[in-house]
Amino acid sequence: PVEIKKEAAMSELVPEPRQKPVVPMKPTGINASLLGYIGIDTIIEQMRKKTMKTGFDFNIMVVGQSGLGKSTLVNTLFKSQVSRKSSGWNREEKIPKTVEIKAIGHVIEEGGVKMKLTVIDTPGFGDQINNENCWEPIEKYINEQYEKFLKEEVNIARKKRIPDTRVHCCLYFISPTGHSLRPLDLEFMKHLSKVVNIIPVIAKADTMTLEEKTEFKQRVRKELEVNGIEFYPQKEFDEDLEDKTENDKIRQESMPFAVVGSDKEYQVNGKRVLGRKTPWGIIEVENLNHCEFALLRDFVIRTHLQDLKEVTHNIHYETYRAKRLNDNGGLPPMTVETEENHESNL
Amino acid sequence: MFEKEFASLDISNTIDNQNDGCRTLPLSMHVGFDSLPDQLLKKSIKQGFCFNILCIGETGIGKSALMSSLFNTNFEDSPSTHFLPSVRLRAQSYEIQESNVLLKLTFVKTVGFGDQVNKADSYLPIVDYIDAQFEAYLEEELKVMRSLFSYHDTRIHVCLYFISPTGRSLKNIDLLTMRSLDSKVNIIPVIGKADSISKTELQEFKKKIMTELVTNGIQIYQFPTDDETVSEMNTITNGHLPFAVVGSMEKVKIGNKMVRARQYPWGIVKVENESHCDTVKLRRMLCTNMEDLREKTCAYYELYRRCRLEKLGCKDVGPENEPVSLQEVFEAKRLEFFLEMERKEEEIKQRFVQRVNEKAAMLEEAEQQASMPVYLEFLCQGRFRVNVRKMYSLKGLSSTGEQAAQGSVESQYLEVFKR
């Protein structure tokens, strides 16, 4: 009913002076066979050139208790100091009393492709004594970005390219306890898997043996399923059979990725590799026998980066928008908060 | 506390990507996001590309023949008559596959353009059609539950305007039509049936047309010259406008090949020969600038959207220069409409009750004054029956009223009024 009335309102207010021509129904395609080269395939090059010129935005959020290696992992993923480690806290500095949201942007370039990468850190998450509702500031931040985009989209004079600050990917760090997920983990993922793409990772995976790792992963997968938590790549968004088989394999075998991060290089077998040096050996970060970092890197960056953005735009953002437009009767329009103190629940 | 450590984003409308106040960081090793364009293209290829061409020209100037020649296939179509009362548009869709690219081509052409005695309104159906496609897109965009990523885009990306090969100048209807379209669509003027003009006449004709377009302030599509790889070719091509095209549905055997051509007693005009006509040039230009045409169409759409929303009374900034959300405006308008509807409904109700009371009073009066024989007289004349029926329908009892009218009229009438 809401939709129909809106359309009626629009046609009432702008009376047509002349009869509208009949718009043809969605026409059926007729297959025309080609004889001789035309040049339609040059459109691919044109599009490629265009995208290289405009560049890309990517916003990644990291969530997890402090000390799980979040900053190190992101720096390892992007081979650059994109995230400042918070291990610089000494006794005098206070641990944040609330969950803070810190977004830092950098521009990185590779192979002619320019990317504006924003890493959103959430210090203070899960570090309090009482962590009830500590996901709320995070959910609020994510929704604020959707709201910002919606406001721009709804403007009459629109920008040619709306700045995209929406969170495309949220890496959730699971403590490698070896047992099961914590209640906080489940609570967070339950609330946020509906608004953002969540990729769970098992942090500091070098504390588990291979068997412990496999068992833990299985248990985590089971718990996520039992609790109805749909992490990325979500089953319902598989576009075709090809996607489904590829994603099924990732969902059922690889995820959650057990990762190790490092920004130090060592010499192993004559090669320079990123790794962690321990008395019992060097853990090579990009060695698939040691940990699954390479899988995570390939998944997030080399194959599914664009898809992460598209799911965020076509599904999460659209869901938010639909809810906002339907709710208009009840709630006043949401204001975007730029400076605001989030109270913790202490 | 919410903290942003980079400068606030202030993206201007330039395509060039600026750093927006962010530091550029060097990468210590290969990361792998240089595959991003490929990831993006993979999705686009899966979905396919839409391209919509509008051909405007007089009946018989060779619109279908040109389209068939451009895309090297025979688009089946029956020739139209000259006697249509108004200009209409006919759209046909085709799917063309070349290597891994699937192109969903829609070819819209005018039917009956230039045939009427009074051509003052000829451009109107064309403008309406273009606007209707923008309107359909806008409607989809404004829906609460929408699916823009799978929406079949019907907006016209390029308009080929066919000029008659008179060799003199543009006709008034050409100027009128192009002027009404140049702010809504990319216009590429072409000279149809160009094989009827000699080479020297053609040069003069082209120059004349271009000067006329400039003096009349008509904006036609300029091939982009900002990219170094194509700027040289595009500048040269811009100098060849308008394209002198020849199209043909038939093929002629030359040597041992079948070639698209027109056979005359004095020679054969080969469509694909660049020294015979500009058809191949046009094809090349359309293909290599397809993306730019689509981008410019988006800009035209934004203009349409802005005008449309402003007409609805929407503003970006309220009376105190506070940003106003579109949603608030919608709500206000919807409320207005509701109240208006309610008021009208009340009005109609009141009028209905009034009329019923009036009629009832009238009939009661008649009942009191008249006697039985008069009823019978009325019955015979059929007048009373009609009145009863009217009365019944006023009270909303039409079906039963008709049945009663067949039976004993008087008793039914009294019964109705006693209710």
Side-chain angles (χ1 to χ4, degrees):
Chain A
V2 168
E3 234 176 309
I4 299 171
K5 283 172 190 165
K6 212 199 300 191
E7 279 172 31
M10 278 174 75
S11 61
E12 257 301 305
L13 297 164
V14 185
E16 295 283 298
R18 44 181 188 261
Q19 210 181 33
K20 253 191 184 161
V22 173
V23 175
M25 297 290 290
K26 208 162 182 192
T28 53
I30 307 172
N31 249 318
S33 57
L34 274 189
L35 317 137
Y37 178 71
I38 294 185
I40 302 173
D41 54 3
T42 58
I43 196 170
I44 297 193
E45 267 318 296
Q46 296 168 41
M47 288 199 75
R48 186 193 298 273
K49 244 194 271 181
K50 181 173 100 157
T51 55
M52 304 268 286
K53 217 176 177 187
T54 51
F56 298 88
D57 284 343
F58 190 64
N59 309 317
I60 185 168
M61 180 187 260
V62 285
V63 182
Q65 290 170 291
S66 58
L68 281 179
K70 303 190 291 288
S71 299
T72 314
L73 184 70
V74 173
N75 290 344
T76 320
L77 266 178
F78 292 100
K79 300 294 192 306
S80 174
Q81 290 286 321
V82 285
S83 176
R84 257 190 290 128
K85 279 186 257 200
S86 49
S87 59
W89 289 341
N90 41 33
R91 300 280 156 116
E92 283 85 54
E93 275 184 43
K94 279 190 270 191
I95 293 174
K97 276 215 149 81
T98 70
V99 178
E100 298 180 347
I101 314 264
K102 286 199 174 141
I104 306 174
H106 291 106
V107 173
I108 47 181
E109 187 172 337
E110 190 177 63
V113 178
K114 231 180 185 178
M115 179 154 90
K116 176 152 164 292
L117 174 73
T118 306
V119 178
I120 302 145
D121 200 357
T122 54
F125 177 85
D127 288 337
Q128 320 305 332
I129 294 174
N130 181 357
N131 287 307
E132 267 179 13
N133 303 332
C134 65
W135 57 82
E136 272 177 10
I138 299 176
E139 193 174 352
K140 190 165 186 218
Y141 175 83
I142 293 175
N143 283 334
E144 275 171 4
Q145 307 318 303
Y146 290 147
E147 182 69 22
K148 244 199 256 180
F149 195 89
L150 179 64
K151 270 207 155 72
E152 288 284 345
E153 201 191 14
V154 142
N155 264 344
I156 300 207
R158 292 200 285 213
K159 297 197 173 113
K160 190 167 185 171
R161 194 169 154 234
I162 300 177
D164 193 357
T165 54
R166 302 170 294 186
V167 178
H168 300 127
C169 168
C170 174
L171 292 181
Y172 187 78
F173 285 71
I174 299 170
S175 235
T177 58
H179 290 277
S180 63
L181 287 174
R182 294 195 173 127
L184 177 63
D185 301 335
L186 290 171
E187 283 296 306
F188 178 86
M189 285 197 269
K190 234 193 264 190
H191 280 95
L192 286 242
S193 58
K194 305 249 169 16
V195 297
V196 72
N197 295 322
I198 295 192
I199 298 182
V201 295
I202 299 173
K204 300 211 159 167
D206 50 342
T207 58
M208 294 189 287
T209 64
L210 281 179
E211 293 84 23
E212 286 170 348
K213 220 189 288 184
T214 330
E215 270 178 40
F216 186 40
K217 277 168 64 153
Q218 262 177 0
R219 235 167 303 153
V220 167
R221 274 198 294 266
K222 190 89 188 294
E223 281 195 20
L224 291 174
E225 195 183 323
V226 161
N227 282 280
I229 295 171
E230 278 258 30
F231 52 85
Y232 178 86
Q234 298 92 336
K235 267 188 261 213
E236 45 182 340
F237 306 143
D238 285 336
E239 280 172 24
D240 52 28
L241 195 60
E242 193 188 324
D243 276 353
K244 188 165 164 0
T245 28
E246 191 190 335
N247 289 343
D248 268 344
K249 189 158 179 292
I250 296 173
R251 278 189 288 258
Q252 287 156 14
E253 291 171 20
S254 321
M255 285 183 86
F257 299 107
V259 295
V260 174
S262 168
D263 46 10
K264 297 202 172 55
E265 285 186 5
Y266 298 96
Q267 282 269 30
V268 173
N269 295 337
K271 278 204 302 176
R272 290 198 65 76
V273 291
L274 282 174
R276 282 173 65 76
K277 190 164 187 194
T278 69
W280 45 91
I282 295 181
I283 305 164
E284 293 163 53
V285 164
E286 288 182 303
N287 185 336
L288 276 173
N289 294 325
H290 292 197
C291 79
E292 294 171 351
F293 170 81
L295 289 181
L296 174 69
R297 174 203 62 201
D298 286 348
F299 179 62
V300 171
I301 300 178
R302 295 185 189 174
T303 54
H304 285 71
L305 194 74
Q306 183 59 29
D307 190 56
L308 280 162
K309 290 175 63 170
E310 290 196 4
V311 172
T312 308
H313 179 64
N314 293 331
I315 295 167
H316 294 304
Y317 168 70
E318 287 295 320
T319 312
Y320 176 83
R321 179 183 172 274
K323 202 153 73 81
R324 274 290 277 143
L325 296 186
N326 266 329
D327 281 351
N328 56 33
L331 305 165
M334 197 167 125
T335 50
V336 175
E337 294 153 77
T338 44
E339 298 287 330
E340 156 114 347
N341 286 319
H342 296 182
E343 287 298 310
S344 82
N345 289 303
L346 279 178
Chain B
M1 199 175 49
F2 179 97
E3 210 177 279
K4 263 211 166 105
E5 285 189 41
F6 56 89
S8 66
L9 298 170
D10 179 25
I11 309 238
S12 64
N13 281 334
T14 57
I15 299 173
D16 208 31
N17 193 19
Q18 297 147 338
N19 286 1
D20 310 316
C22 297
R23 280 186 9 231
T24 315
L25 279 184
L27 300 174
S28 60
M29 262 190 245
H30 180 66
V31 175
F33 62 86
D34 51 353
S35 64
L36 250 184
D38 288 317
Q39 292 180 38
L40 185 83
L41 286 173
K42 194 167 141 208
K43 292 213 178 252
S44 301
I45 290 173
K46 243 194 220 179
Q47 268 189 322
F49 302 90
C50 276
F51 198 63
N52 308 319
I53 304 181
L54 169 67
C55 287
I56 305 179
E58 294 177 354
T59 315
I61 200 159
K63 302 184 286 287
S64 301
L66 180 66
M67 289 303 292
S68 301
S69 310
L70 281 178
F71 293 97
N72 233 338
T73 64
N74 271 352
F75 295 133
E76 293 302 322
D77 197 23
S78 48
S80 39
T81 98
H82 283 278
F83 294 94
L84 291 167
S86 66
V87 177
R88 298 222 300 275
L89 291 119
R90 193 182 294 161
Q92 287 156 304
S93 275
Y94 305 94
E95 276 183 9
I96 305 186
Q97 180 101 28
E98 185 166 74
S99 58
N100 58 346
V101 175
L102 176 70
L103 185 73
K104 296 180 212 163
L105 177 75
T106 302
F107 160 41
V108 186
K109 62 176 195 162
T110 56
V111 174
F113 187 77
D115 280 337
Q116 295 78 35
V117 175
N118 180 3
K119 298 186 255 235
D121 286 346
S122 294
Y123 70 93
L124 283 178
I126 305 174
V127 172
D128 281 349
Y129 183 84
I130 296 177
D131 279 348
Q133 308 319 305
F134 284 153
E135 185 72 20
Y137 192 87
L138 183 62
E139 239 178 74
E140 180 68 26
E141 207 186 12
L142 290 177
K143 276 197 194 148
V144 175
M145 302 290 291
R146 61 187 190 178
S147 49
L148 275 177
F149 52 89
S150 57
Y151 179 77
H152 180 82
D153 192 359
T154 53
R155 299 174 294 184
I156 302 290
H157 298 119
V158 69
C159 168
L160 297 178
Y161 191 90
F162 284 73
I163 299 167
S164 288
T166 56
R168 302 282 171 73
S169 63
L170 288 174
K171 300 192 188 149
N172 281 333
I173 187 171
D174 295 338
L175 293 170
L176 180 63
T177 313
M178 280 199 269
R179 197 180 298 132
S180 65
L181 293 176
D182 71 351
S183 61
K184 291 185 182 283
V185 72
N186 299 309
I187 301 182
I188 298 182
V190 299
I191 302 171
K193 296 202 165 169
D195 51 347
S196 58
I197 315 182
S198 74
K199 265 250 159 87
T200 35
E201 280 179 351
L202 191 61
Q203 287 309 313
E204 284 305 308
F205 190 32
K206 281 191 182 185
K207 251 188 270 180
K208 190 78 169 289
I209 293 175
M210 292 310 281
T211 20
E212 279 199 5
L213 288 174
V214 167
T215 32
N216 283 280
I218 296 177
Q219 302 267 32
I220 56 169
Y221 176 72
Q222 291 292 316
F223 294 99
T225 48
D226 46 5
D227 187 344
E228 317 79 47
T229 45
V230 291
S231 71
E232 202 187 305
M233 179 165 75
N234 280 352
T235 329
I236 297 176
T237 318
N238 278 333
H240 279 287
L241 286 169
F243 294 119
V245 293
V246 174
S248 171
M249 304 275 221
E250 274 110 33
K251 300 219 174 146
V252 171
K253 188 157 187 171
I254 299 181
N256 51 359
K257 281 200 300 178
M258 293 299 284
V259 167
R260 213 173 268 270
R262 288 179 62 74
Q263 187 158 47
Y264 292 105
W266 46 89
I268 302 177
V269 179
K270 299 186 201 116
V271 165
E272 310 251 340
N273 188 329
E274 292 205 49
S275 59
H276 286 195
C277 66
D278 294 334
T279 306
V280 171
K281 256 199 208 83
L282 174 64
R283 178 203 287 159
R284 196 185 310 133
M285 282 297 109
L286 278 181
C287 290
T288 51
N289 294 289
M290 218 179 258
E291 190 52 36
D292 186 65
L293 286 163
R294 278 149 54 113
E295 242 179 69
K296 297 227 165 79
T297 307
C298 285
Y300 286 125
Y301 165 74
E302 288 294 316
L303 191 64
Y304 173 85
R305 176 179 174 274
R306 191 175 353 175
C307 294
R308 190 84 169 88
L309 293 179
E310 276 174 1
K311 233 190 273 185
L312 275 178
C314 305
K315 286 189 285 274
D316 272 341
V317 175
E320 290 108 39
N321 265 11
E322 292 271 309
V324 170
S325 82
L326 196 64
Q327 208 38 50
E328 279 174 339
V329 181
F330 265 149
E331 257 315 290
K333 293 280 178 196
R334 193 192 301 174
L335 199 63
E336 232 181 87
F337 176 68
F338 258 142
L339 294 174
E340 181 70 25
M341 285 287 102
E342 258 180 24
R343 190 183 62 79
K344 277 200 183 145
E345 206 180 308
E346 199 53 46
E347 224 182 274
I348 293 175
K349 259 195 214 156
Q350 294 289 5
R351 248 188 287 152
F352 175 76
V353 169
Q354 203 181 19
R355 273 179 66 195
V356 166
N357 288 338
E358 276 173 10
K359 217 36 183 254
M362 245 172 68
L363 287 165
E364 256 190 67
E365 229 182 272
E367 182 197 347
Q368 280 164 13
Q369 289 173 10
S371 54
M372 253 325 198
V374 183
Y375 279 162
L376 287 172
E377 215 185 292
F378 270 162
L379 259 176
C380 300
Q381 291 169 18
R383 250 190 272 164
F384 189 60
R385 191 172 290 162
V386 172
N387 279 341
V388 168
R389 204 169 282 166
K390 238 200 205 161
M391 188 190 69
Y392 278 131
S393 65
L394 266 181
K395 282 212 176 257
L397 302 163
S398 40
S399 54
T400 49
E402 278 187 40
Q403 273 177 27
Q406 250 94 60
S408 161
V409 175
E410 187 197 18
S411 57
Q412 293 293 333
Y413 155 67
L414 287 171
E415 217 173 289
V416 161
F417 261 90
K418 286 217 182 97
R419 259 193 240 163

